[in-house]
Amino acid sequence: MLTSFLNALDFRQLCEDRFSQFVPATATHRPGKILGALALSMAAGGEQAADIDQLRAAPELFGPIASDATVSRFMSRIKEQPEAFSYGFATMTRSLRTKIWAAAGPRNPARLATPANPLIIDVDATLVHVHSDKEHSAGTYKGGYGFSPIIAMADYGKANGTGEALAVQLRPGNRGANSAKSHIEVLNQALAQLPDDLYDEHGNLQAEKILVRTDSASSSREFLHHLDSLGIQFSTSYSLPVVKERFIRWIDEKKYWEPALDADGDQRDDAWVIDATKVIELKDYPAGTRIYLRAEPLYPGAKANLFDTDGNRVTAFLTNSPRFNVAFLDARHRARGRCENRIKTLKSTGLGKLPYWSFAANQAWADLAMFAVNLVSWLQLVVLPSDHAAGCWDLKRWRFRLFSMAGKVISGGRQRRLLIPQRAPGAQLLCQLIEGIGLLFQRWRHGELAA
């Protein structure tokens, strides 16, 4: 299924254009074949380059696969030219994303984005624990060694799939999650990945159609002022300052609050939200920044802090969104939890086990992990109907339901076929996806879809 999708995307030709300098001119295994095999292996659960032997064991399905030594030499050349690989990979993925989003038609995230309902980019950092002798690995705040990658991800709504990763920036483990410089760098990489539909005829980003959503580590004034200078909306968690006792008593008066909404837009009876901009003074933040509070019952075992005087946990977030519906803004900000699922998926797709000593090679590996995750996200966006149950599956479920399905390869009539059991739970979905990919390929081939 994924190999058919890569072929439909003309992946090998794109790789040949971007990465031909990383292999000898006479090499049998070209960049597209090597990178494609690595991405497929990682999508299926591989954790190191040697795991492509799973593909090598089925040449009738995947064709000839590069040896471990060939892959090792390819990664060594990346280590020698990291900037060239990073630039080639970024331009390749942007080209593919442009093609995919255009093929999504009415579900194109760029065309759906408006100032009132912008395209959301989540920015978050995580920890990856590795052996201490890897290049640039450092001690983390949790007492281990490793890296602290920061990730920018697009969340284009539950109806259009699980969202995708736009950029992964590998950093030493001792780099803080609240570094404004790192957030600006990864945001710039993410914005460079957005298709042309989010740029006007003069090449200027339509920033008012984008919202950056973060946790409190990204609420630094420097980063928020940078977003404001670009004209980008933001929604960021905020740590409440210590205030006077009368303010705490005002928080307890829930008669001033309104009910919060859950993820489905239904009203909750045990959670409240309020616009506290006129009560809590914000100094040196961008003009138009507002602060909102949310109160909900403490979960069992949680310790109350200074503000939790009536049995409710009080949290806050900042935004400069042009919308003023308090409950809507709160529900949209709380949906930031979906980015945690994407990070978990990235870690189970290669980011959690960085296999090389070289920092540049590990950065390339992280990029490939992002690409492997995005392959399935793009399938959800452009091939599956918007109401299909598999549209919200994470990658682990795809592996269990589809990628691990038993089958038998047969030959006859000068054709090779793959037989799968009709009673397998995912058989119908697999056939539907294969058929959809074939139709997509034909439409691209005949120029019926804009690239």
Side-chain angles (χ1 to χ4, degrees), residues 317-338:
F317 69 96
L318 307 177
T319 186
N320 63 347
S321 175
R323 299 186 65 160
F324 290 84
N325 185 323
V326 182
F328 168 83
L329 293 173
D330 171 72
R332 183 173 71 180
H333 182 73
R334 286 179 59 82
R336 199 195 69 82
R338 288 202 289 266

Side-chain angles (χ1 to χ4, degrees), residues 401-436:
R401 301 280 291 190
L402 295 177
F403 299 167
S404 62
M405 188 184 302
K408 182 179 181 181
V409 179
I410 63 170
S411 297
R414 297 183 180 181
Q415 290 185 342
R416 183 179 290 119
R417 295 181 177 87
L418 174 65
L419 299 183
I420 58 174
Q422 186 174 4
R423 63 176 179 268
Q428 184 177 358
L429 174 59
L430 180 61
C431 293
Q432 180 181 354
L433 288 167
I434 293 293
E435 182 181 358

Side-chain angles (χ1 to χ4, degrees), residues 238 240-245 247-254 257 272 293-299 301-316:
Y238 179 70
L240 284 170
V242 176
V243 292
K244 298 179 180 180
E245 183 181 356
F247 173 60
I248 299 175
R249 285 200 294 266
W250 172 79
I251 286 179
D252 293 342
E253 292 290 336
K254 294 301 181 293
W257 300 54
W272 305 268
L293 303 183
R294 175 188 178 92
E296 59 186 337
L298 289 165
Y299 58 86
K303 294 182 179 180
N305 61 26
L306 177 66
F307 300 101
D308 306 331
T309 57
D310 62 345
N312 291 303
R313 169 61 42 88
V314 178
T315 56

